[in-house]
Amino acid sequence: MAKRSLFQVTLVVDDYNRAKAYYCDVLGFECVEDKPQGEGKRWVVVRPGNEGAAIVLAKATTDAQTTAIGNQTGGRVGFFLATDDFSRDHKSFQEKGVKFLEQPRTMPYGTVAVFEDLYGNTWDFIEPAKGN
């Protein structure tokens, strides 16, 4: 069987610099690429760590894309950000103004809380339970 992995997903945003600042300065992602593509477009890729998929920040260029900003998964949690230390990172996020929609809760699969990003997309922030 072929070795495959999901390595990038696209997130439609309103402004490259605004989105890059939020994901890198607030959430602590690393910008792994930011290259001009001509005609005002850029290839901006951020990643939360060394493992897992990166996010391509794509500036909306049509009305349909603009409408999708903040609602790319129809109101469902669409993104899952894992950490090795929930308490540390939750506190840091709160200090940086990240909007959590609930108090942290302990589930069989780990400690989790839902937050909204800059655009209103919802994320599960989770420290997986040991053994998961």
Side-chain angles (χ1 to χ4, degrees):
M1 176 172 256
K3 182 179 177 183
R4 298 181 183 143
S5 65
L6 180 65
F7 78 103
Q8 291 180 334
V9 297
T10 298
L11 188 64
V12 182
V13 301
D14 65 345
D15 179 85
Y16 293 117
N17 292 333
R18 182 172 178 233
K20 180 179 166 184
Y22 177 80
Y23 289 101
C24 294
D25 298 342
V26 176
L27 296 184
F29 288 24
E30 173 189 6
C31 181
V32 295
E33 268 189 277
D34 187 347
K35 295 180 181 174
Q37 298 292 301
E39 299 179 14
K41 293 183 181 181
R42 288 163 45 193
W43 184 255
V44 181
V45 181
V46 297
R47 181 182 342 206
N50 293 330
E51 297 180 15
I55 299 173
V56 177
L57 301 175
K59 184 177 177 183
T61 58
T62 67
D63 289 343
Q65 291 171 4
T66 299
T67 300
I69 294 172
N71 191 29
Q72 295 182 75
T73 59
R76 302 237 4 178
V77 169
F79 306 95
F80 300 81
L81 180 60
T83 181
D84 64 349
D85 189 333
F86 185 93
S87 295
R88 174 199 64 212
D89 292 339
H90 183 260
K91 179 180 178 188
S92 174
F93 286 175
Q94 285 184 309
E95 290 170 351
K96 292 177 181 177
V98 173
K99 181 181 176 184
F100 281 89
L101 303 179
E102 63 182 11
Q103 293 298 314
R105 53 193 161 90
T106 302
M107 303 299 290
Y109 52 85
T111 303
V112 64
V114 175
F115 73 90
E116 278 186 350
D117 70 11
L118 171 66
Y119 298 103
N121 297 300
T122 51
W123 293 65
D124 263 4
F125 179 58
I126 183 169
E127 179 180 349
K130 303 297 182 230
N132 283 352

